[in-house]
Amino acid sequence: MPIKVFAGLGSVEVDPWGFVLPFGLWVWVALLAFLLLLSVGSCFLSFRFSEKDFSDEGFAFVSITLRQSVWVDEGGWWWQRVVLGLWMLMTMVLTRSYEGNLMSLLAVRHLPQPYQTLRDVVDDPSVVMVWEKQGAPIQAVIDATSGIFYEVKKSEEQGRVKALPMYTFPAILEEVISKQKVILDYELVLTVLRSNHFSRTGRCDLYLGQERIVAHPLSLIGQKDSPLVLALSTWVISMTEAGLYVHWNSATIPNSSACNQVPTKITISSSLSFRQCWWLASVTLV
């Protein structure tokens, strides 16, 4: 029976910095670098080859980027028209791509599942790990002298490890959903917790991590050298290979598979708040 991470999905929120997400970091860096280079270069060439005022030359590229009108004198240099025309074409492609990606990002929102492995939990200092008191998993942590379990053991000094009886797990599910705590226990125990929560609330607020941290076998214990052990082992293997254990397990736990395929992306049609559009207000005021 594998041990897994049991965490909460939390609520869907819009990132107030979402307007920068349509482009990657290096796209923004390249755009700002080209904008600065063209503005400085245009100012320098205008100052070098003409005696007229060149104060507005550098701002022409900024105006084009912000989709503002630009005035070009008829007596200007030919290279000015060529550079401005190429910049207009490039910014048109970029702005169209930006608008399309931004609309998609505003409509599709993500349900984060940050804790997929024990390493993810250990590396997050804000979350508390809850283990079953006097259970085999917490005993493995206590006995650890190296590896990831030893790191969990050391994190107890920061108050990040709690050992609680299994019957108290339902009482802390709200803290798990709010991402204050995660539970680490056998997959069967966590499946029962999740199915009971769904049966009570009708919501899939909890998920199981993908990593099988460690697996402990389940078996029957019989008297040594007893002929019943061999016979029972044969029957148990046959039932397991036939899928009866999985079938009975699913049948005895109501709604055990209701939250197995929780979507990580949802489409929402709603109006944006002022907090989500704060950057638009700041640009307008400037």
Side-chain angles (χ1 to χ4, degrees):
M1 181 65 63
I3 299 172
K4 289 193 172 185
V5 177
F6 191 56
L9 291 171
S11 58
V12 180
E13 295 182 357
V14 177
D15 188 355
W17 289 94
F19 67 94
V20 302
L21 297 179
F23 290 157
L25 174 61
W26 290 110
V27 176
W28 286 112
V29 171
L31 179 62
L32 294 176
F34 273 110
L35 188 61
L36 179 62
L37 179 63
L38 291 174
S39 299
V40 173
S42 179
C43 290
F44 174 77
L45 293 176
S46 298
F47 173 73
R48 178 67 177 81
F49 294 106
S50 67
E51 298 179 355
K52 65 177 182 178
D53 183 19
F54 60 91
S55 59
D56 294 334
E57 294 294 337
F59 293 102
F61 298 98
V62 178
S63 299
I64 293 174
T65 305
L66 298 178
R67 305 180 70 173
Q68 303 295 321
S69 60
V70 177
W71 179 263
V72 180
D73 295 334
E74 295 183 359
W77 295 87
W78 64 269
W79 55 266
Q80 291 178 317
R81 299 176 182 273
V82 173
V83 174
L84 288 175
L86 292 176
W87 184 251
M88 285 180 182
L89 290 175
M90 190 183 79
T91 54
M92 182 180 68
V93 175
L94 287 175
T95 53
R96 292 298 184 184
S97 301
Y98 176 85
E99 291 171 355
N101 290 338
L102 182 60
M103 291 296 293
S104 299
L105 289 172
L106 291 176
V108 179
R109 303 180 190 177
H110 297 266
L111 289 170
Q113 298 181 8
Y115 306 122
Q116 295 294 336
T117 65
L118 182 56
R119 169 60 59 190
D120 296 334
V121 179
V122 172
D123 290 343
D124 186 355
S126 65
V127 68
V128 176
M129 293 170 277
V130 178
W131 301 74
E132 181 185 352
K133 189 175 183 179
Q134 298 179 345
I138 189 62
Q139 189 63 43
V141 173
I142 296 173
D143 297 337
T145 58
S146 62
I148 187 66
F149 279 176
Y150 182 72
E151 295 184 41
V152 174
K153 181 179 179 180
K154 295 293 291 182
S155 65
E156 186 176 7
E157 300 173 359
Q158 290 80 39
R160 296 187 54 212
V161 177
K162 300 290 183 181
L164 300 177
M166 186 188 302
Y167 65 83
T168 63
F169 286 175
I172 65 171
L173 287 184
E174 291 301 324
E175 296 177 87
V176 175
I177 294 173
S178 61
K179 300 182 182 179
Q180 301 176 33
K181 296 179 180 179
V182 298
I183 301 176
L184 297 108
D185 210 330
Y186 293 113
E187 184 178 12
L188 178 60
V189 175
L190 303 178
T191 301
V192 172
L193 282 175
R194 186 180 62 176
S195 63
N196 290 341
H197 176 75
F198 177 82
S199 299
R200 186 174 65 257
T201 64
R203 302 193 311 268
C204 292
D205 296 329
L206 301 156
Y207 71 96
L208 276 70
Q210 295 180 355
E211 181 187 29
R212 299 165 64 95
I213 300 172
V214 67
H216 292 160
L218 299 178
S219 61
L220 295 174
I221 298 177
Q223 186 177 3
K224 187 177 181 180
D225 298 328
S226 172
L228 292 176
V229 173
L230 179 60
L232 290 175
S233 298
T234 303
W235 291 345
V236 169
I237 293 175
S238 299
M239 288 188 297
T240 303
E241 291 177 346
L244 291 178
Y245 172 77
V246 176
H247 173 72
W248 290 336
N249 190 31
S250 301
T252 54
I253 303 176
N255 299 315
S256 60
S257 60
C259 298
N260 285 344
Q261 302 294 331
V262 179
T264 58
K265 298 178 181 179
I266 58 176
T267 303
I268 296 178
S269 178
S270 62
S271 58
L272 300 178
S273 64
F274 179 77
R275 177 177 176 270
Q276 298 160 5
C277 299
W278 68 270
W279 62 279
L280 289 174
S282 61
V283 170
T284 302
L285 293 175
V286 172

